[in-house]
Amino acid sequence: MASLKELAAREPKLSPGHRACAGCIPALAFHQVLRSAPGYVVAGCATGCMEVVTTIFPYTAWNIPFIHNAFENSAATISGVEAAYQVLKRKGKVTKDIKFIAFGGDGGTYDIGLQSLSGAMERGHNMLYVCYDNEAYMNTGIQRSSATPFAADTKTAPVGKVHKGKKQYPKKLTEIIIAHDVAYAAQASPSHWRDLNRKVEKALSIEGPAFINVLAPCPPGWRFPSDMGLEMARLAVETCFWPLYEFENGKRKLTYKPKEKLPISEWTKHQGRFRHLHQEENKHLLEQAQQEVDRRWNELLALCGESA
Ligand SMILES: Cc1ncc(C[n+]2csc(CCOP(=O)(O)OP(=O)(O)O)c2C)c(N)n1
């Protein structure tokens, strides 16, 4: 594994000076993923905040070959490029070792790009797909996605007198990808950067399709102060809302287990989108959210062969 000194010395693949919001954790997640990838990389990104803020014409923040994709086809594009690379390599026209990374937000991954991601994973391309999950369609004004947490206030699932935010629990996308029997799948968080770094290195070194789901807190979308993004990511892990684990050789493994599992309220209380959960009349919703986190955490512990 590369040392911190080696990581810091690497030429950045994404330059500073892009147009992301102050305190944008998706941007940090991209930096962490790309720093973890040594050598030649070709990347693509589905339409969404990160594609928009890094490619405002006539500028680009990308120091590597980058392909702009529509909302639904980041995985399809990169799998096509990877297939072409295999042909050129076989014919001796390319000799370099090149890695391929497709990025997408949760809207572009959990929802609209799911079929192209599923196809790429099933066909077995030697590529890494990274989902930066900021838990809503942020670029277009905070609409709910199938990754949005239960009871979160969004523009299309708002909090009012009758409805109290999103009604459904988030889709278990990492598990859906694991069901494809991929070479490697993991959940990571920029708050645990060493863990994320190791997962990216592993995903790129393994032959075959790999997937990493990275939690990426969004200050305007989640409504927390812009210097608290990493703390939001850390609390999502410490409350077990966002467990850090990986899937390899048919087995799931926790890569971090909180010493003391914090209640979900430690995470929700800092975020404007959950403000209503901390009012007396909505306490039952907070309890419901906690029960689902506990249920999923216990299910994962059992799958990982761990005790509580
Ligand atoms: C088929 C299609 N539907 C809708 C849009 C409009 N659109 C562009 S980006 C976006 C939201 C992206 O959300 P997400 O993938 O979660 O990324 P984020 O903006 O949160 O980074 C939408 C709805 C589109 N470009 N294409």
Side-chain angles (χ1 to χ4, degrees):
M1 190 160 58
S3 67
L4 180 56
K5 214 170 160 185
E6 283 160 1
L7 289 175
R10 278 183 192 160
E11 185 75 21
K13 292 183 165 65
L14 186 73
S15 72
H18 50 66
R19 317 288 181 85
C21 303
C24 173
I25 302 300
L28 181 69
F30 271 53
H31 279 295
Q32 291 187 359
V33 168
L34 291 163
R35 282 246 178 219
S36 308
Y40 297 102
V41 174
V42 174
C45 186
T47 318
C49 291
M50 287 313 296
E51 177 264 350
V52 171
V53 302
T54 58
T55 63
I56 295 176
F57 185 79
Y59 304 105
T60 176
W62 292 88
N63 287 330
I64 55 170
F66 173 81
I67 308 174
H68 169 189
N69 291 270
F71 203 18
E72 54 277 67
N73 60 2
S74 180
T77 306
I78 292 301
S79 64
V81 177
E82 189 269 345
Y85 165 73
Q86 297 300 349
V87 172
L88 293 173
K89 217 172 167 190
R90 212 163 44 237
K91 291 184 173 169
K93 292 190 176 168
V94 174
T95 48
K96 284 175 187 154
D97 184 29
I98 305 174
K99 305 291 183 194
F100 299 91
I101 307 181
F103 290 94
D106 50 292
T109 308
Y110 283 65
D111 298 340
I112 304 186
L114 185 60
Q115 54 82 13
S116 79
L117 170 59
S118 174
M121 297 289 108
E122 186 271 333
R123 290 190 302 274
H125 293 279
N126 193 17
M127 62 179 272
L128 166 63
Y129 188 103
V130 176
C131 172
Y132 68 99
D133 182 357
N134 57 15
E135 303 188 331
Y137 294 36
M138 296 306 184
N139 168 59
T140 43
I142 322 177
Q143 295 92 17
R144 58 86 86 190
S145 78
S146 60
T148 303
F150 171 72
D153 183 22
T154 68
K155 294 281 167 59
T156 48
V159 173
K161 282 207 176 70
V162 179
H163 300 294
K164 304 288 175 189
K166 193 188 168 197
K167 292 202 179 95
Q168 302 81 9
Y169 301 115
K171 191 189 272 180
K172 290 193 257 178
L173 182 71
T174 310
E175 289 298 317
I176 292 173
I177 302 300
I178 289 173
H180 288 67
D181 246 328
V182 289
Y184 185 79
Q187 279 193 183
S189 165
S191 55
H192 295 65
W193 64 269
R194 205 49 168 150
D195 177 75
L196 184 151
N197 167 233
R198 192 186 57 79
K199 285 170 178 165
V200 174
E201 280 188 6
K202 198 185 249 193
L204 290 175
S205 67
I206 287 174
E207 238 354 83
F211 172 83
I212 302 181
N213 206 350
V214 182
L215 187 72
C218 166
W222 296 17
R223 287 183 275 146
F224 59 78
S226 58
D227 61 352
M228 278 188 73
L230 279 180
E231 183 62 3
M232 288 305 104
R234 191 186 70 80
L235 287 170
V237 174
E238 297 293 339
T239 56
C240 300
F241 173 85
W242 191 261
L244 301 182
Y245 73 108
E246 65 188 356
F247 170 85
E248 200 186 345
N249 299 326
K251 287 198 173 62
R252 287 173 193 72
K253 193 179 113 198
L254 282 186
T255 59
Y256 175 79
K257 196 170 172 185
K259 284 202 179 62
E260 186 204 346
K261 179 172 173 287
L262 297 178
I264 192 72
S265 56
E266 287 301 309
W267 183 58
T268 55
K269 72 181 180 191
H270 302 283
Q271 302 173 43
R273 64 179 178 158
F274 293 125
R275 188 173 298 133
H276 57 295
L277 293 185
H278 297 269
Q279 293 163 350
E280 203 45 49
E281 71 265 29
N282 294 323
K283 279 271 151 68
H284 64 288
L285 293 175
L286 190 58
E287 276 161 27
Q288 201 180 323
Q290 181 68 61
Q291 276 168 18
E292 183 61 12
V293 168
D294 294 348
R295 197 186 66 76
R296 290 186 178 201
W297 174 242
N298 289 330
E299 194 179 85
L300 181 64
L301 285 177
L303 287 169
C304 295
E306 295 253 358
S307 56

